[in-house]
Each structure stands twice: as structure tokens, then as C-alpha cells.
Amino acid sequence: ISKEKAKSFVKTMKAFKLLIDVYQPQGYIACATAAMREAKNSEEILAKIKKETGLKIQIIDGKQEAEILRNTNRIIFPIPKHYALFMDVGGGSTELSIEREGKLLKQKSFKVGTLRMLNNKVKDKVWNEMKSWLEEYESKFHDFHFVGTGGNINRLCKLYGNSDRQELNIGNLEFEFQQLKNMSVEDRIAHYGFRPDRADVIVPAAYIYRFVMTTVGASSIFVPRKGLADGLILKQYKEYKRL
């Protein structure tokens, strides 16, 4: 993590600590994911934050991240299927989980993320690994529900999906991807009102979701608009209720 980013990070956590002091919640939790998992200076930064704010940030691994997301998005579909594929795309990684009738079969964190793609850090072999991992269940693809989480898929669904059904079909995702990739970041901001930090990553995110949807032959993806933060809140609430 660069010195500039580290300074901004510390300032952000100071701001959160002030909000915690003002609102005095029953509890709180602070977690870091892929970027901090892999940063060489993560321990140094987290120690600095602990010293200056009193906040202890937990680094969660890909398995924990996927589990939190699954628990948040146990959706009851109108027409139930035997299998469900859960997918979350972040800046540094993509979390995939497969369940059968609510029971976890397998899960994996792949080093395929939006920021990695922007920096040309995703190797071909990782795409092939992801494809092979999914194709183990190729004969069952027709019996899959596909659930996507994360800020980017939420935004894509809001623009071109079915809001009532919280669903985005593959045709609309393909149209979005082609349209957005041919626009500059500035044009995406002006035309769609994206924040700058959304305008650059939304194209690689669309590519990753499209890749997985194409691999499993999914005609649409269900987008419940709940992510990791929602899952952490739910986790905190359950722990509070047990007290």
C-alpha cells in the first residue's frame, strides 16, 4: 500500500472512529479483504491505525468473505433449483461459492479483481483455473441459480436490469459492457453520474461477471444488492442477540 493511500486510509478510519464515538452503537466490526491480505506493509498500517484510533481491523480471508456473503444472500427463489452459485467481485479478488440445497459444496477465491485488471495483473492461467473450477459442475449448470453481489453488479443491474425482479440478463450485460468500454472514464462520469472510483472499475467488473455467466451458460444473474458490509452487520447483530 503506497504512503499516500496509507495516509488516506488512516484519516478515513479516524473519521469512522469519530462517528462511532458520536452514535455509540452496541458494537462494530472493521474488516479488510484482498488488498490488505496481500500487501507487504499491511501489518505496519494496521498497527498504526490501532495506535492512532484504537480500532482493530481484522483481515479476513477469501473463505470467510465468501461465507459472509452467502449467509447474507440466502434467497428464496420463486422457482427453486438444486444448486446456487454465489459470486462477488472486488478490487483484488473474485469469490465463488457453490451450494446444493443450502449446503456448501465448494468455494474459492481467485486473484481476478477490477483493480488487478486495470493494472494488467491478471494472468491467463488464473482465468483458465476459474473456468476449470466452474466446469466441474458443467452437467448441472441448467439447475443453477446465479447470485451476484458487489457495488459494480448493483450499479449495472440498476442501469439495465429488471429492478422489480432484481435481475440482469446476459444480453443487457453484454450491451452494457460494449457501450461502457467504448466510453472514456470522463464520459462515464458525465453520462451515468458514476463516481470516479466507480467509473474506472465498472468495465473490468462487467467483463468478469460476463466471463462467469458465459462459462456456466447463465441467462441471467440475480442481484439482491446486499454485499459484504451488509453481511458484517448481520454477523454483528446475531452475535449481539446471543449475548
Side-chain angles (χ1 to χ4, degrees):
I1 308 291
S2 70
K3 288 183 178 180
E4 278 300 310
K5 291 291 183 186
K7 285 181 182 178
S8 296
F9 188 16
V10 173
K11 287 179 181 177
T12 301
M13 297 316 295
K14 283 181 177 179
F16 273 115
K17 182 58 170 64
L18 288 172
L19 289 171
I20 290 168
D21 292 342
V22 170
Y23 287 103
Q24 297 184 353
Q26 293 288 342
Y28 59 85
I29 187 170
C31 293
T33 56
M36 293 298 283
R37 285 199 294 264
E38 298 177 28
K40 295 176 182 177
N41 59 343
S42 61
E43 288 186 12
E44 175 189 336
I45 294 170
L46 297 186
K48 184 175 177 63
I49 288 170
K50 180 73 165 61
K51 181 180 178 181
E52 296 194 19
T53 70
L55 294 175
K56 182 180 179 181
I57 298 177
Q58 304 173 30
I59 298 180
I60 58 175
D61 60 30
K63 184 178 179 180
Q64 291 172 300
E65 194 173 348
E67 184 179 357
I68 291 167
L69 288 162
R70 284 199 324 279
N71 289 335
T72 310
N73 291 292
R74 293 194 184 281
I75 310 300
I76 299 174
F77 292 94
I79 304 174
K81 294 184 178 181
H82 289 97
Y83 295 86
L85 170 61
F86 293 88
M87 177 178 181
D88 182 78
V89 173
S93 65
T94 292
E95 315 302 330
L96 294 176
S97 303
I98 294 176
E99 288 188 353
R100 187 179 190 277
E101 297 176 350
K103 293 182 179 179
L104 179 66
L105 294 177
K106 65 174 185 173
Q107 62 185 28
K108 190 170 177 65
S109 179
F110 293 90
K111 291 184 178 181
V112 176
T114 56
L115 295 177
R116 285 188 196 277
M117 286 186 67
L118 287 176
N119 291 294
N120 296 314
K121 297 290 186 181
V122 181
K123 298 177 181 178
D124 288 343
K125 72 172 186 177
V126 182
W127 291 110
N128 293 332
E129 285 172 6
M130 187 187 292
K131 193 169 187 292
S132 298
W133 189 86
L134 289 163
E135 286 176 343
E136 182 184 335
Y137 285 86
E138 189 171 10
S139 64
K140 308 293 184 184
F141 285 163
H142 67 283
D143 201 18
F144 266 78
H145 279 306
F146 191 14
V147 181
T149 57
N152 287 301
I153 193 66
N154 290 350
R155 201 74 172 93
L156 291 165
C157 186
K158 186 176 180 180
L159 287 174
Y160 286 97
N162 185 315
S163 297
D164 293 333
R165 296 175 60 183
Q166 295 181 295
E167 192 174 48
L168 176 64
N169 68 49
I170 186 66
N172 286 351
L173 177 60
E174 180 64 35
F175 175 81
E176 271 183 293
F177 173 69
Q178 296 299 336
Q179 188 174 54
L180 290 169
K181 79 171 186 176
N182 291 320
M183 299 171 71
S184 66
V185 170
E186 291 74 20
D187 286 342
R188 292 174 207 156
I189 294 170
H191 188 74
Y192 292 107
F194 292 150
R195 299 192 315 267
D197 62 347
R198 176 74 67 208
D200 58 350
V201 298
I202 199 160
V203 171
Y207 181 91
I208 298 168
Y209 280 104
R210 187 186 70 156
F211 176 84
V212 173
M213 288 183 76
T214 302
T215 300
V216 302
S219 59
S220 63
I221 181 170
F222 183 74
V223 186
R225 296 186 186 173
K226 294 184 177 70
L228 185 61
D230 303 279
L232 291 170
I233 292 168
L234 180 62
K235 183 173 183 288
Q236 283 292 98
Y237 176 71
K238 287 180 177 178
E239 289 175 2
Y240 170 71
K241 291 293 285 183
R242 280 199 293 265
L243 296 177

